[in-house]
Amino acid sequence: MGYHAGDYDVIVIGAGHAGCEAALASARMGCNTLLLTINLDMVAFMPCNPSIGGPAKGHVVREIDALGGEMGRNIDKTYIQMRMLNTGKGPAVHALRAQADKFLYQHKMKETIEATDNLTLRQGMAEELIVEDGICKGIITKTGAEYYAKAVVLTTGTYLRGKVIMGELMYESGPNNQQPSVKLSESLRKLGFDLVRFKTGTPPRVHKDTIDFDKTEIQPGDSDPKFFSYETKTGIPDQLPCWLTYTSSETHDIINANLHRAPMFSGAIEGTGPRYCPSIEDKIVRFADKPKHQIFLEPEGRNTSEYYVQGLSTSMPEDVQLGILRSIPGLEKVEMMRTGYAIEYDAVVPTQLKPSLETKLVSGLFTAGQINGTSGYEEAAGQGIMAGINAARKVQEKEAVILDRSEGYIGVLIDDLVTKGTSEPYRLLTSRAEYRLLLRHDNADLRLTPIGHDIGLITKERYESFLNKKELVDQEIERLKTTKVRPEPGVQELLESLGSVQLNNSVDIISLLRRPEVEYRHIEQMSPSTLELTEEMKEQVEIQVKYAGYIEKQLAQVDRLRKMEKKKIPDDINYSDIHGIATEAKQKLAKIRPVSIGQASRISGVTPADISILLVYLEHYNRVTAARG
């Protein structure tokens, strides 16, 4: 028999990376929030790689921070190594990546949640949604506790009907031998949701003392690290290195000889796996011409001997895994502490969601993270903060916050999911963002902090600090435009040493900084600024000056896109009434129900001709509606 266990504004189910951000955002926006998790010891757990960031993913973490989320602050408190990737390329693809102390990361996130006002953290297994007249009213747990709320956010990760697969062995389980969530999956099906079966996997963990590091290449952190959070000012001094090795021809022979025992190839795995993070057996088959593959050995924390073997994700039987490991240079005598495994789980088809991440089928029900078909902690957290914001906004009877594709990678991620769906675990890539020159690691605050402040997640002090930074950057760019430098000996020598053309007469400094070989630090030598600029501000000045032409072009494209986004499509349009639109387009439009012409134009199968007809129809529809009104 059930019992009434409590009333809340927002309930968040699952305390992984999506759930933590959703619950913190909701509580910080003033909503009385319950965060319910199967196991309190697994809050913000990293079942796979103990790292945060990398290409596109690192950008998302900066965006979460710029909005007032927690992931950036938390990794800055708990990293064991920090590296900026792609520094040889342009600023659009610079990407920060941190190796986490996975135990400290969990501990600090749980500490933050426990200390947050309006937020209750509780252990319990959600089994059924309470839905009345198409509106989600709460949840029922395994123990019969009934919790009621005005909005519910599902962030169940890979727990929905989770099944672990290792060679011939299969058993129902969440990640890392946690309990799976079976009945909640059934509850969603009964409500009419389309679910798909996806798969992800993880590599074995090995004992540090059994690795021969002399046969591997050291991968140290940056000596002067940058941070994910705009609030972090000082770093962690003693970083731990990672190590690089490679598979050998023996590795490939072992895998090929045991493919009949690989669940991927024997038909034991039904779920679709992630294309951009394939298992080692998949890599060996798909890239048979490659003689070796990179393997990174990464410490899981400061106070553990476990090392994560990145690049060796596998669901091979345990005895085969040990053979594979010992065929790799440096791991000949290695001891395996945990075996790798594949995990299958249910995910919601994300085209059933609005851009706010609220489900179309059930009002007040939001989903975020791997339940929406994504892979990765960062993609989960990015959806989590938006679902938490929009659940709170719904409770507060305010308009949803929707980031468009030109405002953030989070906008790209959510738009891709709800407009196009995904047939495999979705991973963010820089190539998915058409405006990536605008969506840089360095300018996430300029893009999103005003939004974070407007919705109440950025404090007054932080916002004033942000405005001050923006003002100083603008002032310095103005100074560079209006200050001239003369062809004096010191200037000419500096230009010559840079391989840059010397001056014939005075020029404004900004034209010098536009030269590819001249950096802001050289400008400082020629004409020091009187403004108190931080390194971050100087970097911003340099990027804005050097890339001004490209940035202006992208901004013009964005303006054209915005006009399309502003053309809203009413909810009650019947697409079968529109003559001239192709049948496929009608079916897709009716299924996705886009909120704007911009979103409609991005649906696969909807052509520019269909959009033209839709625009004409909308004009007529709006005229008729206005005449009636």
Side-chain angles (χ1 to χ4, degrees):
M1 187 65 187
Y3 71 97
H4 190 124
D7 297 288
Y8 295 87
D9 294 319
V10 175
I11 297 171
V12 179
I13 309 293
H17 304 284
C20 289
E21 294 296 346
L24 285 167
S26 164
R28 287 166 174 167
M29 288 168 69
C31 288
N32 185 16
T33 306
L34 171 67
L35 177 56
L36 195 71
T37 174
I38 293 173
N39 185 348
L40 284 182
D41 300 329
M42 304 297 283
V43 170
F45 179 64
M46 295 179 166
C48 203
N49 197 331
S51 72
I52 297 285
K57 292 166 174 279
H59 294 65
V60 169
V61 183
R62 287 283 271 188
E63 291 174 4
I64 291 165
D65 184 74
L67 286 166
E70 199 58 35
M71 184 176 254
R73 280 191 286 245
N74 205 57
I75 186 62
D76 286 352
K77 286 186 253 183
T78 58
Y79 70 87
I80 52 180
Q81 187 193 97
M82 192 74 83
R83 285 183 85 176
M84 184 66 82
L85 309 178
N86 299 332
T87 50
K89 299 177 182 174
V93 291
H94 288 183
L96 196 58
R97 182 182 185 274
Q99 203 62 34
D101 183 320
K102 82 180 216 184
F103 308 101
L104 191 58
Y105 186 92
Q106 276 181 268
H107 172 70
K108 288 289 182 192
M109 186 65 88
K110 183 166 181 263
E111 211 173 65
T112 300
I113 286 165
E114 288 170 342
T116 299
D117 292 342
N118 306 319
L119 183 49
T120 303
L121 177 62
R122 194 160 293 168
Q123 186 164 295
M125 166 86 77
E127 290 201 331
E128 193 182 335
L129 294 163
I130 301 167
V131 177
E132 294 167 12
D133 302 324
I135 299 165
C136 192
K137 298 287 179 74
I139 58 106
I140 304 171
T141 71
K142 193 173 190 170
T143 57
E146 293 175 5
Y147 295 100
Y148 290 86
K150 296 162 191 159
V152 173
V153 186
L154 293 184
T155 63
T156 50
T158 60
Y159 282 78
L160 286 187
R161 282 203 317 127
K163 184 204 280 183
V164 160
I165 303 160
M166 197 190 301
E168 297 87 8
L169 175 68
M170 276 185 230
Y171 56 93
E172 285 198 343
S173 175
N176 208 40
N177 287 332
Q178 293 300 300
Q179 291 182 68
S181 173
V182 177
K183 290 202 172 166
L184 190 57
S185 204
E186 289 166 15
S187 180
L188 287 166
R189 277 184 204 281
K190 277 183 196 156
L191 288 166
F193 284 98
D194 282 341
L195 303 181
V196 285
R197 200 81 176 138
F198 280 167
K199 168 200 93 86
T200 186
T202 189
R205 301 337 188 244
V206 299
H207 198 295
K208 170 190 177 181
D209 296 345
T210 61
I211 300 170
D212 184 351
F213 290 106
D214 292 340
K215 292 184 179 174
T216 66
E217 297 168 38
I218 192 166
Q219 307 280 303
D222 292 341
S223 53
D224 185 17
K226 290 203 160 67
F227 308 113
F228 279 106
S229 176
Y230 287 92
E231 293 184 1
T232 307
K233 300 296 177 238
T234 54
I236 295 166
D238 52 331
Q239 298 189 57
L240 300 183
C242 295
W243 306 83
L244 172 64
T245 181
Y246 295 87
T247 57
S248 65
S249 56
E250 190 193 341
T251 315
H252 298 212
D253 291 344
I254 292 169
I255 290 168
N256 282 319
N258 285 281
L259 281 179
H260 63 288
R261 298 181 68 196
M264 268 205 70
F265 299 99
S266 68
I269 288 179
E270 305 161 45
T272 309
R275 178 192 303 256
Y276 300 103
C277 188
S279 66
I280 188 66
E281 50 268 34
D282 198 15
K283 277 193 259 191
I284 300 302
V285 170
R286 273 171 43 193
F287 308 107
D289 55 321
K290 283 193 103 173
K292 61 181 183 179
H293 294 274
Q294 286 187 328
I295 301 291
F296 289 94
L297 304 172
E298 302 173 340
E300 294 229 315
R302 289 183 191 279
N303 303 309
T304 176
S305 293
E306 281 189 78
Y307 264 61
Y308 179 91
V309 188
Q310 193 203 323
L312 209 75
S313 180
T314 183
S315 56
M316 283 286 205
E318 194 170 313
D319 56 314
V320 179
Q321 289 191 34
L322 190 59
I324 291 169
L325 283 167
R326 289 183 176 172
S327 68
I328 292 168
L331 303 183
E332 293 87 350
K333 294 179 180 170
V334 85
E335 289 297 335
M336 183 163 65
M337 294 178 75
R338 299 186 204 225
T339 44
Y341 59 86
I343 184 166
E344 278 189 356
Y345 55 96
D346 285 347
V348 167
V349 174
T351 51
Q352 298 169 103
L353 306 172
K354 299 175 184 176
S356 63
L357 297 180
E358 185 179 17
T359 68
K360 295 171 187 172
L361 205 56
V362 177
S363 175
L365 178 64
F366 295 76
T367 60
Q370 279 183 277
I371 189 176
N372 288 345
T374 55
S375 66
Y377 311 142
E378 304 85 353
E379 288 91 335
Q383 293 170 72
I385 191 170
M386 297 313 297
I389 288 167
N390 287 326
R393 301 272 294 183
K394 186 165 184 90
V395 169
Q396 294 161 353
E397 298 182 350
K398 293 176 181 170
E399 202 178 324
V401 175
I402 294 160
L403 301 181
D404 70 39
R405 296 180 73 91
S406 64
E407 287 177 308
Y409 273 90
I410 295 173
V412 172
L413 163 69
I414 293 173
D415 184 63
D416 278 354
L417 290 173
V418 304
T419 306
K420 298 171 183 167
T422 184
S423 56
E424 62 193 41
Y426 176 102
R427 179 181 183 171
L428 254 183
L429 308 164
T430 49
S431 58
R432 295 195 195 270
E434 59 273 49
Y435 305 115
R436 57 188 168 276
L437 199 54
L438 302 178
L439 309 181
R440 304 184 308 275
H441 171 273
D442 61 89
N443 71 349
D445 59 339
L446 296 172
R447 292 183 274 122
L448 298 176
T449 294
I451 296 172
H453 178 252
D454 286 349
I455 58 183
L457 289 179
I458 295 286
T459 62
K460 185 168 178 273
E461 298 73 34
R462 178 165 169 184
Y463 191 58
E464 281 168 1
S465 164
F466 158 75
L467 291 176
N468 179 54
K469 170 190 167 178
K470 194 169 177 292
E471 174 65 23
L472 286 171
V473 168
D474 292 345
Q475 279 181 26
E476 179 60 0
I477 291 173
E478 197 51 41
R479 181 185 82 85
L480 298 181
K481 286 179 184 169
T482 54
T483 308
K484 292 195 179 299
V485 63
R486 293 198 291 274
E488 292 164 344
V491 171
Q492 302 288 52
E493 282 166 26
L494 179 57
L495 290 173
E496 188 180 10
S497 73
L498 297 171
S500 195
V501 178
Q502 294 186 335
L503 302 180
N504 294 325
N505 41 40
S506 297
V507 296
D508 49 47
I509 307 176
I510 203 159
S511 61
L512 279 183
L513 186 52
R514 286 192 187 118
R515 296 182 180 185
E517 64 279 3
V518 178
E519 296 173 18
Y520 182 82
R521 61 194 172 93
H522 303 130
I523 298 298
E524 284 184 291
Q525 292 173 45
M526 299 179 204
S527 172
S529 177
T530 55
L531 300 170
E532 284 188 35
L533 301 174
T534 63
E535 289 307 310
E536 205 178 69
M537 292 173 194
K538 292 171 187 177
E539 176 191 44
Q540 198 51 238
V541 168
E542 183 165 337
I543 290 171
Q544 287 191 28
V545 168
K546 282 195 183 296
Y547 294 90
Y550 299 106
I551 290 168
E552 276 164 29
K553 269 186 194 163
Q554 289 224 319
L555 287 170
Q557 285 176 299
V558 169
D559 278 344
R560 287 197 291 278
L561 169 89
R562 286 249 161 87
K563 285 176 189 146
M564 301 272 275
E565 298 300 331
K566 277 181 185 161
K567 289 181 177 154
K568 299 295 179 196
I569 302 175
D571 278 346
D572 55 353
I573 277 215
N574 186 349
Y575 290 100
S576 56
D577 290 348
I578 308 175
H579 302 298
I581 287 184
T583 305
E584 183 192 357
K586 281 184 186 177
Q587 288 167 352
K588 295 274 180 75
L589 288 163
K591 184 183 170 197
I592 307 287
R593 304 214 67 81
V595 295
S596 67
I597 289 290
Q599 190 188 357
S601 69
R602 293 189 294 276
I603 298 170
S604 62
V606 176
T607 66
D610 296 323
I611 293 295
S612 300
I613 294 164
L614 181 56
L615 279 166
V616 171
Y617 179 84
L618 274 181
E619 264 185 50
H620 170 71
Y621 179 94
N622 290 335
R623 271 204 309 273
V624 170
T625 310
R628 281 186 195 141

